């Protein structure tokens, strides 16, 4: 059955035909238009010619690996990228997030969960697009702590004057932490605000994303000073003295 052209277009990239067909069927039944790709190079060609809104990418792709495919697609587009892997250790999760993946799933994949992840990640992407504005827009707060200047609403993070590239989910997580700057943000609060209530118990997501943010923001990720863990409770964006000596941590952009 053909899908309306206004429905989001998704690439299902998987070398296993049965697995790919199962994914495509689940997405089609959920109302998405689907393209299938059996190798990384063909998935890349489809992405550039068809311009889909999202891609579900098997990590072990032939011709162009899933990790390399994520890197190329993230450098060229803002499309949603979700990786499926046989196992995701913390190191692998950080590598995927730093490459630009928006989300990841371990096999075996429960199709309703995959569809929910696609829907939630597209929703986050749309929410980010609606609030994108330049740093220092009038009448908006931004945060200064240590070497960082953060515009939570405009999704801009500067470290010592240099912009730090981040995925849309990393920006949303930083915004949630900024809203509680200097205070503890509980696991469930962050999961609800950034991922949605369906992710309430997925604390491993937070660990992976916080580790990725530390690699990007901390001078020494093994000894974090900016993104602190409150064991068993949540995370805190530390209120550090601003490096240039100028004072309060939270500025009003119109008067800074």
């Amino acid at each position: 059955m053909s899908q309306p052209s206004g429905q989001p277009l998704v690439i299902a990239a998987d070398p296993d035909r049965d697995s790919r067909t199962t994914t495509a069927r689940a997405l089609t039944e959920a109302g998405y238009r689907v393209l299938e790709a059996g190798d990384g190079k063909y998935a890349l060609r489809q992405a550039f010619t068809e311009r889909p809104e999202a891609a579900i990418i098997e990590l072990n792709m032939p011709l162009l690996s899933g990790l390399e495919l994520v890197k190329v697609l993230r450098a060229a587009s803002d499309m949603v990228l979700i990786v499926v892997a046989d196992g995701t250790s913390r190191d692998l999760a950080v590598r995927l997030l730093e490459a630009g993946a928006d989300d990841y799933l371990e096999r075996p994949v429960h199709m309703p969960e995959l569809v929910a992840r696609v829907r939630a990640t597209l929703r986050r992407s749309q929410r980010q697009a609606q609030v994108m504005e330049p740093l220092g827009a009038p009448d908006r707060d931004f945060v200064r702590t240590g070497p960082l200047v953060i515009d939570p609403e405009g999704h801009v993070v500067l470290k010592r004057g240099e912009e730090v590239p981040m995925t849309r989910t990393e920006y949303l997580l930083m915004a949630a932490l900024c809203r509680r700057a200097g205070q503890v943000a509980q696991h469930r609060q962050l999961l609800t605000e950034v991922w949605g209530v369906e992710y309430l118990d997925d604390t491993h997501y937070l660990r992976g994303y916080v580790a990725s943010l530390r690699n990007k923001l901390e001078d020494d990720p093994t000894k974090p000073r900016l993104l602190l863990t409150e064991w068993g409770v949540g995370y805190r964006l530390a209120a550090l003295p601003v490096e240039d000596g100028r004072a309060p941590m939270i500025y009003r952009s119109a008067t800074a």
Side-chain angles (χ1 to χ4, degrees), residues 115-137:
V115 171
R117 297 288 175 94
V118 172
R119 186 177 292 118
T121 312
L122 282 169
R123 190 165 60 238
R124 291 199 300 272
S125 175
Q126 292 164 356
R127 190 162 78 241
Q128 180 189 357
Q130 291 169 355
V131 300
M132 285 292 286
E133 300 178 38
L135 179 68

Side-chain angles (χ1 to χ4, degrees), residues 12 30 35 67 105 123 146 163 179 184 189 216 240:
L35 299 172
L67 184 62
L105 284 167
R123 190 165 60 238
E163 185 170 355
R179 283 192 288 273
V184 179
Q189 291 174 323
K216 294 181 177 183
L240 300 178

Side-chain angles (χ1 to χ4, degrees), residues 8-208:
L9 180 63
V10 182
I11 294 177
D14 190 329
D16 185 281
R17 178 177 294 180
D18 291 341
S19 176
R20 187 172 70 243
T21 299
T22 299
T23 299
R25 183 183 299 117
L27 291 168
T28 300
E29 290 175 353
Y32 297 100
R33 295 178 295 136
V34 183
L35 299 172
E36 296 185 38
D39 63 70
K41 286 189 176 180
Y42 186 60
L44 185 62
R45 188 182 315 139
Q46 285 185 316
F48 282 122
T49 57
E50 302 297 332
R51 299 188 178 279
E53 283 84 358
I56 314 299
I57 301 170
E58 165 63 39
L59 182 64
N60 296 315
M61 293 287 288
L63 302 186
L64 186 66
S65 74
L67 184 62
E68 290 302 317
L69 183 57
V70 167
K71 289 179 180 178
V72 174
L73 290 176
R74 177 55 65 232
S77 74
D78 292 325
M79 65 186 293
V80 165
L81 303 173
I82 299 176
V83 178
V84 176
D86 288 331
T88 49
S89 64
R90 183 175 298 186
D91 287 345
L92 175 58
V94 170
R95 286 170 59 204
L96 292 172
L97 297 175
E98 289 185 336
D102 295 290
D103 205 344
Y104 56 88
L105 284 167
E106 293 185 16
R107 291 198 181 279
V109 176
H110 186 47
M111 284 299 124
E113 180 183 6
L114 174 62
V115 171
R117 297 288 175 94
V118 172
R119 186 177 292 118
T121 312
L122 282 169
R123 190 165 60 238
R124 291 199 300 272
S125 175
Q126 292 164 356
R127 190 162 78 241
Q128 180 189 357
Q130 291 169 355
V131 300
M132 285 292 286
E133 300 178 38
L135 179 68
D139 300 323
R140 192 164 74 220
D141 291 335
F142 63 97
V143 174
R144 296 173 59 89
T145 178
L148 303 183
V149 177
I150 307 160
D151 179 355
E153 295 178 39
H155 291 191
V156 178
V157 179
L158 304 178
K159 180 178 180 181
R160 299 190 177 99
E162 297 291 327
E163 185 170 355
V164 181
M166 292 187 179
T167 67
R168 58 179 60 82
T169 304
E170 287 172 338
Y171 282 126
L172 291 172
L173 179 55
M174 283 300 297
L177 290 167
C178 284
R179 283 192 288 273
R180 302 170 178 82
Q183 302 175 346
V184 179
Q186 297 180 8
H187 293 138
R188 292 171 72 87
Q189 291 174 323
L190 294 172
L191 287 163
T192 299
E193 290 181 23
V194 178
W195 285 272
V197 293
E198 59 266 44
Y199 289 75
L200 260 182
D201 298 318
D202 292 338
T203 53
H204 65 285
Y205 271 79
L206 275 178
R207 290 195 295 270

